[in-house]
Amino acid sequence: MSLSVSKNRYSGPVQAVVLDWAGTVVDHGCMGPAAVFVEVFKERGIEISAQEARKFMGVEKKEHIQKLCALDSVSKAWQEKYGALPGQIEVDKLYERTARLMGEAICKHGDLIGGVVPTVQALRDMDIKIGSSTGYVKEMMDVLVPIARDKGYAPDAVFCSSDVPQGRPFPWMCYLNAIALGVYPMAAMVKVGDTIADIQEGLNAGMWTVGITRTGNEMGLTLEDLEVLDPGVRRAKIQTITKAFKAANAHYVLEQAGDLLPVIQEINRRLAHGEMPPGVC
């Protein structure tokens, strides 16, 4: 890739797509992480709901635990049970247990989401590179990456929250993807994920962003549960998630990553006309 300083806006095509993992390409409904957080707190005698566990999904896992501990319901319950608020020592212990259980959960929830493999192949056929970022840490990804590879999904770059000083919404994982993939400018990249943190990460990196509704954490349902859900309820939930993603300034919102190709074509048209990702930092 040759590069010279230019005052002209980038007008080439999309060069890379950076995909989230759980809820976007694997683990329909992002079931594994939510169940682990519920179980870890339950072991300490603190009840949290699956909805509370999902509240901060997408961020680095220790930060996720810190945010859960700061919830009024959790801090009050912890105070009543242990006579003090959970401090860093307690957070560290909760995280150690989370990391241990998360590896087991990943093995159980490593199935690829429908449409991912053919979509990724179609992107490669368009000479688009495939990157990835995640709130998981290296030990967790050491489990998940081989599982996904055996099932047919192997991105060109894999970066996780333990590879950077701060996880989402900071843009560092996206920057590492750009470096590893040899892509410039950031406007030539698209971030795809199923959480607000994913969207914020992409915007902060100067990328186009795509939010995923139906298969992700915000929906929070397995494929089987989603298929038996009342169609009206399903549509209403998707509309609610879409509204939240749009409020977070997502450029596009899709039901699943398998629907990505028309969006890439639309972004290519916008780039060709000199458009940059609107609202990026």
Side-chain angles (χ1 to χ4, degrees):
M1 178 182 68
S2 62
L3 177 65
S4 60
V5 177
S6 173
K7 295 182 180 180
N8 297 325
R9 286 177 178 266
Y10 178 74
S11 59
V14 170
Q15 298 180 38
V17 171
V18 177
L19 294 155
D20 174 51
W21 282 81
T24 300
V25 298
V26 299
D27 188 6
H28 194 293
C30 201
M31 306 305 293
V36 167
F37 286 124
V38 171
E39 177 63 24
V40 166
F41 277 86
K42 184 178 181 180
E43 289 178 352
R44 299 299 300 273
I46 307 297
E47 297 291 334
I48 67 171
S49 66
Q51 184 177 6
E52 287 174 321
R54 293 180 181 280
K55 187 175 180 64
F56 309 107
M57 206 69 76
V59 304
E60 186 270 331
K61 298 310 176 209
K62 183 175 286 189
E63 181 182 357
H64 193 143
I65 291 172
Q66 291 171 330
K67 289 180 178 293
L68 288 174
C69 287
L71 289 174
D72 288 342
S73 59
V74 175
S75 59
K76 181 180 179 180
W78 199 285
Q79 177 81 43
E80 291 176 351
K81 186 171 184 62
Y82 297 105
L85 295 174
Q88 191 58 50
I89 292 176
E90 288 76 20
V91 169
D92 289 343
K93 289 180 179 179
L94 288 167
Y95 175 74
E96 289 173 6
R97 182 58 174 158
T98 296
R100 196 171 302 117
L101 292 183
M102 201 70 78
E104 300 172 8
I106 287 170
C107 292
K108 297 177 182 177
H109 298 277
D111 287 342
L112 294 177
I113 293 172
V116 167
V117 171
T119 297
V120 166
Q121 185 56 56
L123 292 171
R124 293 192 192 280
D125 291 342
M126 298 167 65
D127 293 324
I128 293 175
K129 299 172 182 177
I130 308 299
S132 67
S133 67
T134 178
Y136 286 146
V137 297
K138 183 180 184 301
E139 291 78 8
M140 301 170 193
M141 293 309 295
D142 286 344
V143 175
L144 181 53
V145 170
I147 293 174
R149 184 188 304 119
D150 289 345
K151 296 177 183 294
Y153 175 67
D156 303 311
V158 177
F159 291 102
C160 56
S161 57
S162 56
D163 293 324
V164 292
Q166 296 122 330
R168 300 166 180 153
F170 288 88
W172 313 137
M173 286 187 286
C174 289
Y175 290 163
L176 288 180
N177 273 277
I179 293 169
L181 299 174
V183 173
Y184 179 87
M186 299 304 294
M189 300 178 69
V190 180
K191 177 68 210 307
V192 183
D194 64 298
T195 67
I196 298 294
D198 282 292
I199 294 166
Q200 293 171 334
E201 175 189 27
L203 292 173
N204 287 335
M207 299 165 64
W208 299 89
T209 61
V210 180
I212 300 299
T213 61
R214 184 169 59 83
T215 70
N217 175 70
E218 301 300 316
M219 180 64 74
L221 294 174
T222 65
L223 177 60
E224 293 75 17
D225 288 341
L226 186 67
E227 288 178 339
V228 299
L229 188 67
D230 178 82
V233 174
R234 182 167 60 242
R235 285 193 299 270
K237 287 177 69 71
I238 289 174
Q239 289 172 357
T240 298
I241 299 167
T242 298
K243 184 177 180 180
F245 284 166
K246 288 293 187 180
N249 296 320
H251 298 121
Y252 297 91
V253 179
L254 300 173
E255 291 194 9
Q256 58 183 356
D259 299 332
L260 188 59
L261 295 180
V263 165
I264 298 301
Q265 293 166 352
E266 171 65 19
I267 292 173
N268 280 341
R269 287 192 291 269
R270 295 176 70 175
L271 286 170
H273 286 91
E275 285 192 54
M276 293 290 101
V280 299
C281 299

